[in-house]
Amino acid sequence: KSIMVGDKVKAILMKTMEIPTLRLLATLERSRLPFTDALNIAEEVLTHEFESADIVYNRFVNVVSYTATTRPLPSHNTLESSETVYTYDEVDSEVLRCYNEFTLANVLHHALKEQEASEQSARMNAMENATRNAGEMIDKLTLQYNRTRQAVITRELIEIISGANALE
């Protein structure tokens, strides 16, 4: 089962893989993606019981590439059974729940920012390619226009010269 963030992922995964969906979250602010969005998603995820979970997102590599990355998310039971959590202080269930929520929110916020950078890079590349293609198209059309204009002028000159020769 999955919790999907965004409409595009739903459209792709529902058609290709028919993954059962617990929830679709698509009400994110497009421009900023504040930490509160990640916190809201984390709260939604933690309302469901799970033993193991993964987050899949596009990780920004450079301007021309990004890679699909899978990152495991710790469950509440995993944190409870981990001895390193209890190293420095006594931890009750409420502190552990808050820690789990904060950790999950941090991981989600990181993934959302990576996804945003990847999406912005893809848009920049698309716009650059569109600009280059438009420039090439303008060059081809200008060349075609100039050749056509030159052919018309040449034909008119031939007609004028032929008419002048016919008068002599």
Side-chain angles (χ1 to χ4, degrees), residues 108-126:
L108 289 169
H109 189 250
H110 173 75
L112 289 170
K113 288 298 184 179
E114 288 280 344
Q115 177 63 35
E116 183 182 25
S118 299
E119 183 179 341
Q120 190 65 22
S121 131
R123 287 179 188 207
M124 286 171 46
N125 284 333

Side-chain angles (χ1 to χ4, degrees), residues 60 62-66 116-132:
F60 178 79
N62 57 38
V63 178
V64 293
S65 69
Y66 47 89
E116 183 182 25
S118 299
E119 183 179 341
Q120 190 65 22
S121 131
R123 287 179 188 207
M124 286 171 46
N125 284 333
M127 289 304 295
E128 184 179 321
N129 290 337
T131 301
R132 187 177 342 106

Side-chain angles (χ1 to χ4, degrees), residues 73-126:
L73 299 175
S75 68
H76 185 75
N77 295 338
T78 306
L79 288 175
E80 247 179 14
S81 64
S82 174
E83 292 181 19
T84 57
V85 173
Y86 301 102
T87 303
Y88 298 107
D89 200 4
E90 291 293 321
V91 178
D92 61 354
S93 63
E94 181 62 24
V95 171
L96 200 58
R97 187 191 63 75
C98 289
Y99 174 74
N100 192 17
E101 184 177 332
F102 184 72
T103 302
L104 181 58
N106 276 323
V107 170
L108 289 169
H109 189 250
H110 173 75
L112 289 170
K113 288 298 184 179
E114 288 280 344
Q115 177 63 35
E116 183 182 25
S118 299
E119 183 179 341
Q120 190 65 22
S121 131
R123 287 179 188 207
M124 286 171 46
N125 284 333

Side-chain angles (χ1 to χ4, degrees), residues 2-5 20-25 27 40 44 47-48:
S2 65
I3 295 176
M4 299 180 192
V5 179
T21 304
L22 291 175
R23 182 83 193 268
L24 173 66
L25 303 169
T27 58
N40 292 337
E44 176 66 31
T47 60
H48 304 283

